[in-house]
Amino acid sequence: MRSFAGALALSAIFLTGTALDSGRAEAADMVVYNGGDVTSLDPHKLSGDWEDRVAGDIYEGLMTEDPKAKPVAGQAESHEISDDGLTYTFHLREDARWSDGEPVTAEDFVYAFRRLQAPKTAAQYAYLQYPIKNAEAINTGKIEDLSQLGVRAIDDKTLEITLERPTPYFLGALTHYTAYPVPKHLIETNPDDWVQIGTIVTNGPYKPVEWVPGSHVLTAKNEEWYGVDDLQIDGVRFLSMEDNSAGFKRYRAGEIDWMTDFPKDQFAFIEENLPGQAHVVPFAGLYYYVFNTSKPPFDNADVRKALSMAVNRQVIGPQVLGTGEPPAYGWVPPGMANYPEDGARVEWADMPYGERVEEAKTLLSEAGYGPDNPLNVVLRYNTNENHKRAAVAVAAMWKPLGVNVELNNAEVKVHYADLRAGDFETARAGWLADYNDPINFLDLLKSGVEMNYGRWSNETYNKLLDQASSMQDLEERGKVLKEAEQIALDDSAALPIYYYLSENIVSPKVKGFEDNVFDKHRTRYMSLEE
């Protein structure tokens, strides 16, 4: 029986939502199936694409994305880069303001970058801005003086950023939420509650006006944003839903305008009955399984190799999922800038599947596993029908090896928290490119990076990545990065399964939704037509 307090709480949420809806009956609001529950509205506390969709509407960095996800001027209307590629000077818009009317200053960015790298902030994604001078040393505690970070305010509207070394993708990295400013004037006076509705101020096209954890985030136009007059959508209700079958029913009923994922087994139905509404296009992302290499038997490279070889990637996209995701035999998705076109691949990629299974059996036998001593594996995934289909298929592929698989699922916030804590054996993960450079993926296997969930570590790999970071010849740099990738693949550091396709389904009344390889779709570029 539901407790009385719980019933009251649910009633309050329902009534709040109803009142808000009726109060905005004429508003052009878009409803988005957003996947997981948002962890925070603080850009330094985020790590997921579902959170990025909210953050990218309510904040804006020095650079932002255009409809094709290319970096363009954001809060900075212009910038210069020194001849040596080390110093970037940004000129902020005179009319850049927070949603409370206070000006956005260069000092807000200085404060934000220092806060991002301060160890006490514990920002999971701080490493993304390591190209900035002394960022890594500060974040890892080697330098305690935050003022040594290579970011300074020349005046209220001029910001200077100095890098450790020339970084070809730096402007793209500045579009990421780790580079968003935070309101220094508010945080210093209200450090604990500044992100709460009614207190928070943001500097993007929209501002959050309601946040019900487990339910939704609701936004409205930020009247202080410099381009507010051009916004065609009044606000967005980002639904915290992970049941895409239920979401698809609501979409078909006209209750949802855009789904960021849909049941893959419905793809043929959608193509036939909802023509033009499915947006399935190549995407710079990797779907993979990670092994906890700190726990036996996954510290054994032969065990990892056997499990990887037994996964028939050729059938997962076309048959298991039905949307045709291309198989992944490498770590870096094809088409990334500053990287050799042929990339790196596992050495057994072209081996017939039957032969791979037999070799996998031999590897496990040599590792001590067989009919008398089966390998028992707990495979974790975040709650989603598509992830479940993939996990069931992989478990079936491992069964002929004598591997017993227990499937375990959890909501996305819990799942990734457990991965970061190392509380798993094998688990599903995914990575979507934050900028167009292979290092964005290769860093996931570097020692000390929090997103290296499996704690795989290889000294040569780390040294090659460090070597590449100081190379200015992009072609030679690409060769070094490919060499590093090959080391990780040869050691079965993780199990790449397929390269993503972005899979959105968008109502015909939504205009301005443009497909792009980074699957970034900011509300500012869209409109609604009945």
Side-chain angles (χ1 to χ4, degrees):
M1 179 178 177
R2 182 182 300 153
S3 71
F4 183 66
L8 282 178
L10 288 171
S11 297
I13 291 172
F14 177 79
L15 291 172
T16 301
T18 303
L20 218 158
D21 286 344
S22 61
R24 297 175 59 172
E26 302 303 318
D29 285 347
M30 182 165 62
V31 181
V32 178
Y33 171 99
N34 196 39
D37 196 15
V38 172
T39 303
S40 175
L41 299 179
D42 180 343
H44 296 160
K45 303 295 184 183
L46 311 180
S47 65
D49 62 326
W50 62 96
E51 295 165 328
D52 172 73
R53 280 187 282 270
V54 178
D57 268 8
I58 64 177
Y59 293 99
E60 185 176 69
L62 297 163
M63 306 293 294
T64 189
E65 310 95 346
D66 71 5
K68 289 294 187 182
K70 294 179 179 178
V72 294
Q75 293 283 283
E77 60 185 358
S78 64
H79 67 272
E80 298 96 37
I81 306 174
S82 62
D83 291 341
D84 61 7
L86 293 177
T87 304
Y88 289 63
T89 304
F90 295 92
H91 305 281
L92 273 61
R93 298 176 183 272
E94 289 297 326
D95 55 354
R97 291 189 294 270
W98 295 101
S99 53
D100 61 358
E102 289 292 315
V104 175
T105 67
E107 189 58 39
D108 285 321
F109 281 94
V110 173
Y111 180 80
F113 279 115
R114 289 178 179 176
R115 181 177 183 263
L116 173 74
Q117 298 301 341
K120 68 178 182 180
T121 304
Q124 301 166 15
Y125 234 159
Y127 76 89
L128 197 65
Q129 301 302 335
Y130 277 3
I132 298 173
K133 185 176 180 180
N134 292 331
E136 183 173 9
I138 290 171
N139 190 242
T140 56
K142 296 176 183 176
I143 295 178
E144 295 184 0
D145 182 1
L146 295 180
S147 69
Q148 295 301 305
L149 186 67
V151 183
R152 71 184 184 101
I154 296 176
D155 57 41
D156 281 352
K157 292 293 182 177
T158 310
L159 181 75
E160 181 184 89
I161 300 180
T162 303
L163 306 185
E164 289 279 359
R165 57 194 65 87
T167 305
Y169 56 84
F170 186 61
L171 290 177
L174 289 179
T175 67
H176 193 260
Y177 49 74
T178 50
Y180 292 164
V182 292
K184 178 182 179 182
H185 67 282
L186 178 59
I187 298 176
E188 288 190 334
T189 59
N190 198 348
D192 296 326
D193 299 321
W194 76 273
V195 292
Q196 301 304 313
I197 299 298
T199 304
I200 189 172
V201 301
T202 62
N203 73 319
Y206 296 88
K207 60 185 180 182
V209 294
E210 185 175 70
W211 175 23
V212 181
S215 176
H216 65 272
V217 174
L218 181 67
T219 66
K221 287 182 182 180
N222 174 10
E223 297 297 336
E224 298 292 338
W225 188 61
Y226 58 85
V228 65
D229 291 342
D230 295 325
L231 297 178
Q232 300 299 306
I233 291 178
D234 293 322
V236 179
R237 184 179 292 271
F238 293 96
L239 300 179
S240 302
M241 291 186 69
E242 298 183 61
D243 184 341
N244 52 28
S245 294
F248 185 53
K249 290 178 182 178
R250 292 185 61 181
Y251 175 86
R252 292 184 62 196
E255 298 173 11
I256 291 175
D257 302 309
W258 164 25
M259 289 190 70
T260 59
D261 188 18
F262 58 79
K264 295 180 189 292
D265 62 352
Q266 295 296 310
F267 182 55
F269 173 87
I270 294 168
E271 288 282 89
E272 181 177 352
N273 297 281
L274 305 172
Q277 296 181 41
H279 292 248
V280 179
V281 297
F283 184 21
L286 175 70
Y287 190 104
Y288 64 102
Y289 283 176
V290 62
F291 306 108
N292 191 336
T293 63
S294 66
K295 295 181 178 181
F298 306 106
D299 56 346
N300 185 329
D302 284 342
V303 171
R304 301 195 299 266
K305 181 179 180 181
L307 294 176
S308 186
M309 292 183 77
V311 174
N312 190 351
R313 295 155 175 81
Q314 299 297 132
V315 306
I316 290 181
Q319 298 179 31
V320 175
L321 301 178
T323 35
E325 285 78 357
Y329 293 102
W331 191 250
V332 177
M336 296 299 292
N338 311 319
Y339 205 57
E341 287 187 11
D342 54 352
R345 303 177 82 212
V346 293
E347 47 89 17
W348 42 264
D350 297 323
M351 183 184 295
Y353 181 64
E355 293 180 21
R356 282 163 43 190
V357 171
E358 291 307 311
E359 183 169 336
K361 290 178 180 178
T362 300
L363 288 170
L364 282 185
S365 176
E366 292 174 350
Y369 295 97
D372 297 329
N373 184 34
L375 174 61
N376 297 312
V377 175
V378 177
L379 173 58
R380 302 189 57 160
Y381 62 93
N382 54 293
T383 306
N384 178 290
E385 282 301 311
N386 298 327
H387 301 331
K388 181 179 180 180
R389 286 190 192 94
V392 169
V394 169
M397 294 168 188
W398 285 346
K399 191 173 182 61
L401 308 184
V403 178
N404 298 324
V405 180
E406 175 187 339
L407 299 182
N408 188 304
N409 68 293
E411 65 178 52
V412 67
K413 286 196 302 184
V414 174
H415 177 74
Y416 277 106
D418 287 344
L419 262 60
R420 289 191 295 272
D423 185 16
F424 70 96
E425 293 183 357
T426 61
R428 174 266 161 187
W431 193 260
L432 315 178
D434 297 304
Y435 47 84
N436 197 359
D437 191 89
I439 197 67
N440 195 200
F441 290 89
L442 296 172
D443 267 345
L444 298 176
L445 298 175
K446 189 177 183 182
S447 301
V449 170
E450 188 168 6
M451 307 304 180
N452 180 0
Y453 306 123
R455 309 296 193 269
W456 178 79
S457 182
N458 182 285
E459 184 176 350
T460 304
Y461 181 91
N462 295 336
K463 287 181 177 178
L464 287 172
L465 262 56
D466 288 340
Q467 176 187 341
S469 69
S470 61
M471 298 177 69
Q472 297 189 44
D473 185 321
L474 294 181
E475 184 175 349
E476 292 302 313
R477 173 179 176 267
K479 293 178 181 178
V480 171
L481 291 176
K482 178 181 175 180
E483 182 182 349
E485 181 184 8
Q486 194 64 57
I487 288 172
L489 294 174
D490 290 346
D491 200 49
S492 301
L495 197 169
I497 297 179
Y498 62 77
Y499 298 119
Y500 273 112
L501 299 173
S502 59
E503 295 167 0
N504 298 283
I505 181 167
V506 185
S507 167
K509 71 179 183 180
V510 177
K511 307 301 179 183
F513 184 98
E514 292 201 28
D515 295 322
N516 59 73
V517 295
F518 291 96
D519 201 25
K520 299 278 189 182
H521 311 280
R522 300 306 186 196
T523 307
R524 71 187 74 175
Y525 301 120
M526 292 186 264
S527 62
L528 290 174
E529 295 180 7
E530 293 299 334

